[in-house]
Amino acid sequence: MNVVVMGAQWGDEGKGKIVDYLAQDAKYVCRFAGGANAGHTIVVDGKKYALHQVPSGILYPNKTVFLGSGMVIDPEALFNELKMLSDSGINWEGRVFISDRAHITLPGYRELDKKRDAARKRPIGTTGRGIGTTYSQKSERDGIRLADLDWEEKWNDLEDEDKKFLEQYKDKLISMRVDIAAKMYEIRKENVLFEGAQGAMLDIDSGTYPYVSSGASGSYGAASGSGIGPKALDKIYGVFKAYETRVGNGPMPTEFNAESEGELCDYVRNTGNEFGVTTGRARRCGYLDLVALRYACHVNSIDSLVLTHLDVYDEMDEIEACIAYDIDGEIVTDFPASIPALNKAKPVLQKFKGWKSSIKELSKYSQLPKQAKAYVDFIEDYTGTKVGIVSVGPERTQTFNREKIWK
């Protein structure tokens, strides 16, 4: 069975924890998009692991993980990450493989990323990890893949400094590469978990273009970035937070107003630890945007939603969520493609009663306060999508599973 975990907002929804949780019953985990710009945080027995390129399932000793064709691989960052795992007692050798069709991020791409963004009239707010440049080189057909490392003519086309950089990692990368399409067909009867990066609203096609990532953040990327066909995807999970966050520039209709809602923003940001895993930047915070969430469900065929960070609201008397936009006096309930329209959009908010109690220590969904359940029920009704999993903290045990996952 093939199960996809993708972000249903602007990234940072808690995908790493959910992949780690679902990987208990998967045999293989495959990351299908992104690169060293992604930050997936996992907490196991109180110990925190920050992963960027290695799929989250690596923390289980019996899982094999793949870095898919849709990823862009930064060799230096990858092997630093693998060393971190070794230093933490995680034996990864023989369990990490990279698609031979994955592209490689070269050192000069990082500076190019920063220069390109600084030169834009409307900067995107890149992480400066060379991701955009790598995908750009890929689309221009000038990139280098793992499959090309022992292609003599291609190698000779590289600049001397790039050859020198790659020489450090060439043999190790070649030893880890795999024909992922053949491998996926070989393991087609096993449980395979597909891990996305960023989120639906940052997808190059369906996100808030041009303020998006350079890769396929949507569910379709699980097929194109992993060497399987779309009909082979059995179930798609969309992860979202009980509120909204975004990193970098671009529209965010439900963002808290700095002047009138600054205190609320600080509370949510600090309680939810809303600081980037990769950059350390403070994330923009706002009300849950149900208009955007429903749109993400529709364009990604999300079968089931995963609600995280619900516990951030534990001490609040009242909760609000966006159910529509007011754009120049018109009430809009469909997510617009127009950036000017999104920039003018004012959230139409619905209020919910808070539960004023800690839910972190609860052990199952039925124990949640009725006010928390009412919030979940409304989300399900509005989006037309079931909330199958609820997370109330960073640990694996702080997860309420409401349905059978691997059928």
Side-chain angles (χ1 to χ4, degrees):
M1 183 175 181
N2 295 325
V3 172
V4 179
V5 175
M6 61 164 287
Q9 294 170 315
W10 277 283
D12 308 308
E13 304 95 345
K15 295 181 294 297
K17 177 203 166 164
I18 300 305
V19 170
D20 173 73
Y21 175 76
L22 297 181
Q24 297 174 81
D25 298 311
K27 191 169 182 179
Y28 303 94
V29 181
C30 178
R31 259 282 299 277
F32 61 81
N37 59 334
H40 294 175
T41 303
I42 302 164
V43 179
V44 181
D45 297 329
K47 186 170 183 178
K48 184 182 291 187
Y49 300 86
L51 300 175
H52 301 276
Q53 294 181 89
V54 180
S56 301
I58 193 63
L59 298 183
Y60 291 95
N62 59 338
K63 311 296 180 186
T64 299
V65 303
F66 301 99
L67 283 69
S69 307
M71 287 190 67
V72 290
I73 310 300
D74 181 329
E76 182 180 19
L78 174 62
F79 286 105
N80 284 340
E81 190 173 327
L82 292 171
K83 182 180 184 302
M84 176 275 292
L85 288 170
S86 295
D87 292 345
S88 299
I90 307 297
N91 182 13
W92 59 266
E93 295 195 37
R95 300 195 295 121
V96 180
F97 297 93
I98 312 170
S99 169
D100 53 8
R101 286 181 165 84
H103 279 247
I104 297 172
T105 297
L106 297 172
Y109 293 179
R110 298 172 196 163
E111 199 58 38
L112 274 173
D113 253 14
K114 295 173 186 175
K115 286 181 178 178
R116 284 180 176 180
D117 204 42
R120 288 185 173 106
K121 292 181 179 179
R122 288 172 292 278
I124 293 166
T126 174
T127 59
R129 308 288 280 195
I131 306 302
T133 300
T134 313
Y135 278 118
S136 176
Q137 292 290 93
K138 175 181 178 178
S139 64
E140 290 175 3
R141 292 152 292 183
D142 290 323
I144 181 167
R145 309 170 301 163
L146 263 72
D148 304 330
L149 288 175
D150 44 13
W151 177 12
E152 187 177 352
E153 291 88 348
K154 183 71 174 181
W155 181 263
N156 291 336
D157 289 340
L158 293 173
E159 299 291 336
D160 288 343
E161 60 200 61
D162 291 332
K163 291 179 189 175
K164 185 177 179 181
F165 169 76
L166 287 173
E167 284 285 6
Q168 307 170 74
Y169 309 106
K170 185 177 178 181
D171 291 342
K172 288 188 283 188
L173 289 170
I174 289 174
S175 71
M176 295 167 69
R177 75 185 179 190
V178 65
D179 180 338
I180 201 165
K183 187 65 180 179
M184 286 296 157
Y185 186 76
E186 176 190 325
I187 63 175
R188 65 192 182 280
K189 295 183 180 179
E190 304 286 356
N191 285 346
V192 184
L193 190 60
F194 295 88
E195 176 181 7
Q198 286 79 52
M201 308 312 292
L202 292 176
D203 181 76
I204 188 77
D205 290 312
S206 57
T208 52
Y209 186 90
Y211 302 99
V212 292
S213 186
S214 304
S217 304
S219 58
Y220 69 96
S224 62
S226 304
I228 63 173
K231 289 177 70 175
L233 303 178
D234 297 301
K235 195 165 192 177
I236 299 167
Y237 279 97
V239 186
F240 75 106
K241 281 189 270 209
Y243 47 92
E244 210 81 17
T245 64
R246 180 166 191 166
V247 172
N249 300 327
M252 184 180 172
T254 65
E255 185 170 11
F256 294 134
N257 183 290
E259 294 181 7
S260 61
E261 297 164 324
E263 188 176 338
L264 175 59
C265 181
D266 288 342
Y267 172 80
V268 169
R269 180 179 289 141
N270 293 323
T271 307
N273 191 30
E274 296 300 346
F275 300 90
V277 178
T278 301
T279 63
R281 286 184 294 184
R283 296 172 183 144
R284 298 159 62 188
C285 299
Y287 301 106
L288 175 62
D289 189 336
L290 289 171
V291 177
L293 183 62
R294 182 168 60 187
Y295 167 73
C297 290
H298 291 173
V299 298
N300 290 284
S301 298
I302 292 173
D303 296 296
S304 190
L305 287 165
V306 180
L307 170 58
T308 66
H309 290 67
L310 185 61
D311 53 296
V312 170
Y313 284 152
D314 280 354
E315 296 181 17
M316 296 183 64
D317 295 313
E318 191 174 72
I319 299 164
E320 293 182 279
C322 172
I323 59 170
Y325 303 146
D326 181 335
I327 303 176
D328 292 332
E330 179 184 357
I331 301 302
V332 174
T333 56
D334 290 320
F335 192 81
S338 166
I339 297 300
L342 287 168
N343 284 335
K344 290 188 289 184
K346 297 176 182 177
V348 177
L349 300 173
Q350 176 143 334
K351 295 181 179 181
F352 302 86
K353 290 185 70 174
W355 41 93
K356 298 290 288 180
S357 63
S358 176
I359 60 176
K360 288 184 174 69
E361 297 78 22
L362 303 182
S363 59
K364 52 187 177 181
Y365 183 81
S366 61
Q367 295 174 339
L368 282 177
K370 63 180 182 180
Q371 296 91 337
K373 289 179 185 175
Y375 187 57
V376 174
D377 289 345
F378 187 87
I379 293 168
E380 289 184 326
D381 289 342
Y382 189 97
T383 62
T385 309
K386 181 178 176 60
V387 176
I389 300 173
V390 176
S391 170
V392 295
E395 292 279 358
R396 289 172 179 167
T397 54
Q398 294 174 301
T399 315
F400 307 148
N401 184 12
R402 305 177 68 202
E403 62 184 25
K404 290 183 178 179
I405 296 159
W406 302 97
K407 293 182 182 178

